[in-house]
Amino acid sequence: MHSICFQATGVPGSNYIFDSCSPALAISKPINLRFCGLRKEAFGFSGLTHSSSGRVRFSSRGHSKKVSASAESNGSPPKSFDYDLIIIGAGVGGHGAALHAVEKGLKTAIIEGDVVGGTCVNRGCVPSKALLAVSGKMRELQSEHHMKALGLQVSAAGYDRQGVADHANNLALKIRSNLTNSMKALGVDILTGVGTIVGPQKVKYGKVGFPDNIVTAKNIIIATGSVPFVPKGIEVDGKTVITSDHALKLESVPDWIAIVGSGYIGLEFSDVYTALGSEVTFIEALDQLMPGFDPEIGKLAQRVLINPRKIDYHTGVFATKITPAKDGKPVIIELIDAKTKEPKDTLEVDSALIATGRAPFTNGLGLENVNVVTQRGFVPVDERMRVIDTNGNLVPHLYCIGDANGKMMLAHAASAQGISVVEQVTGRDHVLNHLSIPAACFTHPEISMVGLTEPQAREKAQKEGFEVGVAKTSFKANTKALAENEGEGLAKLIYRPDSGEILGVHIFGLHAADLIHEASNAIALGTRIQDIKFAVHAHPTLSEVLDELFKSAKVKAAASSHGPVSEPVAV
C-alpha cells in the first residue's frame, strides 16, 4: 500500500516493520537512476505495439516432458531455459520489472498465486486513494467556514456507504484489469499458481490440488510483497477487529474506532473515518504520534490533522490484548505501559483497526533450496537486489525486490528496484539511490517527504563533519494556495550549505504528494541547490512553494556553468 515511508522501526524477534517501510540509509552512489510506478501501459493508454511473438507456449505433451526433465536435475542449473526472466509475484514491483524486461527484449513470465496487482492495487494504494478522495470531498463540503470564505452555500452533505465502498472496489478492479491486459499485450506470460524455487534457476508453480509445473529461467526475481502484521494477543475477526485489508471494503462506519498505530496507514484511515462521522482513538507505542515523520512536520500535522478533529490518543502504550465485539459486548482493548509493561488502561470501543505495519510474504518460497535464510522474514539482498545466502555469498541469477526485501516498503520503490534489476541482467550496472525515492501520506492536507529528516541529517553531519542548513517556506505566502483557501502548510529543505547538496525535503500542505517530485528528481540527478534556483516555475502555481524554498537556501558554493542563453523572441 504504501504511501509514506520512514526509517524502519523494527521489533526484535518479529517479522514486521512499523508503518510498512524502511529506507536504507547506507546506500551506494547512484548510477543513472530511473524510476517507475504504475507505468502508462497499466492504464490502458495506446502504444502497446511490442511484438508478442516471443511468448512461450507449451503443449500439454511437450510441457510434461520438460517438467520431468527439469525435475530430474533440481540440484544443478539447467543448460537451456524456458525464459530469460521469471518474476514471482505480479504486484506493482513485478509488473514494472516485467514491462521493462519486455522493453529490453527478454522473454518474460510472471507467476501469481492470488490476483494481479498485489497489495497496492487490490488492498492498498489504489482502493485507499478512492476512499480518501471521498473523505476529502466530504471534509470540504462539511466545512462551513471554508465554503463561506469561497462564497458558496451547500446544504448538509451525506453519503451512501455502499456507494463509497463500490467506488473503491471498482477502481481496484479496473486497475487490476489494465495491469493484466498490459502484460498480455506486451507478450508477458502470466502463469497462475504459487511460485516456489526448487533449485538454481528453477521454479515450480501450480494451484492447490493440481500437478505442479516446473519452468526454468536465466534469472529469477522474487516480488512476493507483504501482508498486514497483527501482533500477538490481538484477535482479528474481520468485522469489529480489522486490518487495512478489511477496512478498505468499508463494510461499516463505526461510531467509535480505535486505530492501533499512528503511521501513514493509521493517519489515512483516521482521515477517512472522521470525515464519514466516526470518532477515532489512536493507540501508539512510542511517546509521540507520527514518530517517523520529520518532528517539525509531525508537530504541524498533529495540530491540523488530529487536534481539531474527533480524535483522541494514547501514546507510550501497547495494546496487549484486543477482543472482538460479541454477545452485545464492545471491542475490549487492554493497554500496558510500553516501558514498564504495567497495566495502564482498558478501552471499550465499537471497532479496532490494526495498523501496526506489514510483514514480508516470503514463507513457502523454497529459499532453503538455494541456501537462503530470511532475516525477520525479509530476504537478504545487497544494494543491487541480489539475494545473499547463509554464507554471505551472492546467489547467482536470483534477485528480490519490493516489500519482501524490506529496504523500502513502497509500491513505486518495488517497481524502481525491479527496473534496476532488469538493467543489470541486460548488461548495464545500476544501483538505485533509495534516498531519492519520495513518499506521501494522502491525508487532507497531504504530507510528503524525500531523503533524510532533520535529526537524521544532523546525525550524519556529526559523523561526517559537515554543517546542516535548513530553509522553510509557508503555503500562506503562495497565491494559488490562498486562492483555494488552503494556506495551511509548510515546506522544509534540509541541505549542505558548503556544497548545495539536498539532504531531504518535507512538505505538509495542499497537493504535497505532487510537489515532492521536483525535490526527489533533483536528488536522483545530483542537482545542487545553486543550480535548481535558476529553474522557472509557472505563476501562480503551488510549485512556487518549492521555488521559494530553494531560493531561500544559503549556499556557499557557486552555481555550475550554464549553457548559452538564447536571445529573447519578440512576441
Side-chain angles (χ1 to χ4, degrees):
M1 152 169 199
H2 315 136
S3 300
I4 196 159
C5 177
F6 308 110
Q7 185 178 5
T9 310
V11 174
S14 67
N15 295 337
Y16 80 103
I17 281 187
F18 283 124
D19 301 331
S20 190
C21 63
S22 71
L25 297 181
I27 297 169
S28 303
K29 183 173 69 175
I31 304 173
N32 299 320
L33 301 172
R34 292 187 64 187
F35 298 94
C36 177
L38 291 175
R39 296 173 52 167
K40 65 181 181 180
E41 293 92 338
F43 295 94
F45 293 170
S46 60
L48 304 181
T49 57
H50 297 269
S51 169
S52 60
S53 59
R55 295 184 68 183
V56 175
R57 298 183 182 276
F58 299 107
S59 67
S60 58
R61 181 177 178 183
H63 191 217
S64 63
K65 287 182 179 179
K66 187 171 290 293
V67 170
S68 176
S70 298
E72 289 174 359
S73 57
N74 282 345
S76 59
K79 295 179 180 179
S80 61
F81 301 95
D82 301 320
Y83 294 98
D84 296 315
L85 179 66
I86 287 177
I87 303 163
I88 305 174
V92 171
H95 176 264
L99 266 57
H100 194 60
V102 172
E103 184 180 313
K104 289 288 187 176
L106 300 183
K107 188 184 297 183
T108 304
I110 195 162
I111 300 172
E112 180 54 63
D114 185 17
V115 288
V116 169
T119 293
C120 173
V121 172
N122 300 287
R123 300 173 298 279
C125 320
V126 171
S128 69
K129 297 308 144 318
L131 295 182
L132 284 158
V134 172
S135 72
K137 294 187 185 302
M138 281 293 293
R139 200 168 292 286
E140 192 171 13
L141 292 171
Q142 290 169 342
S143 175
E144 185 178 345
H145 174 76
H146 176 75
M147 287 296 173
K148 192 173 182 179
L150 295 173
L152 298 175
Q153 296 177 353
V154 180
S155 59
Y159 68 92
D160 170 42
R161 183 200 57 78
Q162 188 59 53
V164 174
D166 289 345
H167 171 56
N169 184 57
N170 290 339
L171 179 63
L173 288 172
K174 181 177 181 179
I175 301 301
R176 182 165 75 226
S177 175
N178 288 339
L179 288 175
T180 304
N181 292 338
S182 70
M183 288 193 291
K184 287 181 177 178
L186 290 172
V188 177
D189 277 351
I190 301 176
L191 311 178
T192 303
V194 176
T196 304
I197 297 166
V198 294
Q201 298 170 286
K202 293 188 185 76
V203 178
K204 72 175 181 180
Y205 72 94
K207 294 182 179 180
V208 176
F210 292 87
D212 287 331
N213 302 299
I214 292 181
V215 286
T216 61
K218 292 180 183 177
N219 292 284
I220 298 168
I221 296 177
I222 297 167
T224 48
S226 62
V227 294
F229 171 78
V230 179
K232 292 179 180 178
I234 296 176
E235 182 184 344
V236 173
D237 66 351
K239 298 295 182 181
T240 61
V241 180
I242 59 177
T243 67
S244 57
D245 286 1
H246 306 110
L248 289 167
K249 298 176 183 177
L250 203 69
E251 293 182 349
S252 66
V253 178
D255 292 334
W256 184 8
I257 183 168
I259 299 180
V260 184
S262 64
Y264 85 89
I265 300 174
L267 273 179
E268 289 187 345
F269 277 110
S270 77
D271 196 289
V272 171
Y273 281 119
T274 53
L276 299 182
S278 299
E279 294 184 27
V280 169
T281 295
F282 273 119
I283 298 170
E284 172 57 55
L286 298 180
D287 290 334
Q288 71 219 28
L289 295 176
M290 298 175 280
F293 289 78
D294 180 87
E296 189 172 9
I297 295 294
K299 188 178 295 184
L300 176 59
Q302 180 172 335
R303 181 168 65 80
V304 176
L305 299 177
I306 293 177
N307 294 348
R309 299 179 181 177
K310 292 182 178 180
I311 299 175
D312 65 355
Y313 51 87
H314 299 263
T315 56
V317 296
F318 282 122
T320 55
K321 186 176 182 180
I322 300 182
T323 306
K326 53 188 172 183
D327 301 328
K329 295 180 180 179
V331 173
I332 298 174
I333 304 174
E334 297 179 18
L335 303 178
I336 64 168
D337 187 283
K339 294 175 182 175
T340 67
K341 304 300 186 289
E342 294 294 323
K344 193 75 178 281
D345 204 350
T346 299
L347 302 180
E348 295 184 354
V349 296
D350 299 311
S351 187
L353 167 62
I354 313 306
T356 47
R358 300 187 65 83
F361 184 59
T362 53
N363 288 336
L365 267 175
L367 293 170
E368 65 279 3
N369 295 325
V370 285
N371 195 32
V372 172
V373 175
T374 60
Q375 299 171 359
R376 293 184 298 115
F378 295 102
V379 178
V381 297
D382 70 356
E383 75 279 3
R384 289 175 174 80
M385 309 303 128
R386 297 177 293 191
V387 175
I388 301 170
D389 70 14
T390 54
N391 299 317
N393 300 319
L394 297 175
V395 180
H397 310 289
L398 183 62
Y399 302 82
C400 180
I401 65 172
D403 290 7
N405 70 32
K407 277 186 173 291
M408 201 174 205
M409 298 176 78
L410 297 166
H412 51 278
S415 184
Q417 290 172 1
I419 289 170
S420 176
V421 169
V422 171
E423 288 291 293
Q424 292 169 54
V425 302
T426 53
R428 180 169 174 260
D429 189 29
H430 189 283
V431 176
L432 182 64
N433 178 8
H434 286 79
L435 286 177
S436 71
I437 298 179
C441 182
F442 293 85
T443 47
H444 297 91
E446 296 171 345
I447 310 170
S448 63
M449 65 170 288
V450 66
L452 304 176
T453 63
E454 186 176 342
Q456 289 169 346
R458 294 198 182 280
E459 182 181 353
K460 179 181 174 70
Q462 188 174 13
K463 289 179 180 178
E464 299 181 13
F466 62 84
E467 293 182 7
V468 171
V470 175
K472 305 169 196 174
T473 53
S474 171
F475 278 65
K476 289 183 173 126
N478 180 267
T479 303
K480 185 65 162 62
L482 294 176
E484 299 274 351
N485 196 32
E486 296 282 359
E488 192 73 74
L490 174 73
K492 179 177 181 179
L493 167 67
I494 304 157
Y495 65 100
R496 289 185 58 162
D498 58 342
S499 65
E501 179 186 358
I502 300 170
L503 300 175
V505 173
H506 304 262
I507 309 172
F508 173 67
L510 185 65
H511 293 303
D514 299 306
L515 296 175
I516 197 65
H517 297 94
E518 182 171 5
S520 66
N521 288 338
I523 294 174
L525 297 171
T527 306
R528 304 288 166 154
I529 295 169
Q530 56 268 40
D531 293 320
I532 204 170
K533 282 185 178 187
F534 289 95
V536 181
H537 298 73
H539 175 76
T541 64
L542 292 171
S543 71
E544 291 175 293
V545 170
L546 274 294
D547 185 35
E548 293 298 325
L549 185 65
F550 293 128
K551 282 181 167 62
S552 67
K554 308 298 181 185
V555 180
K556 299 171 185 177
S560 62
S561 175
H562 287 69
V565 179
S566 60
E567 292 295 322
V569 179
V571 178

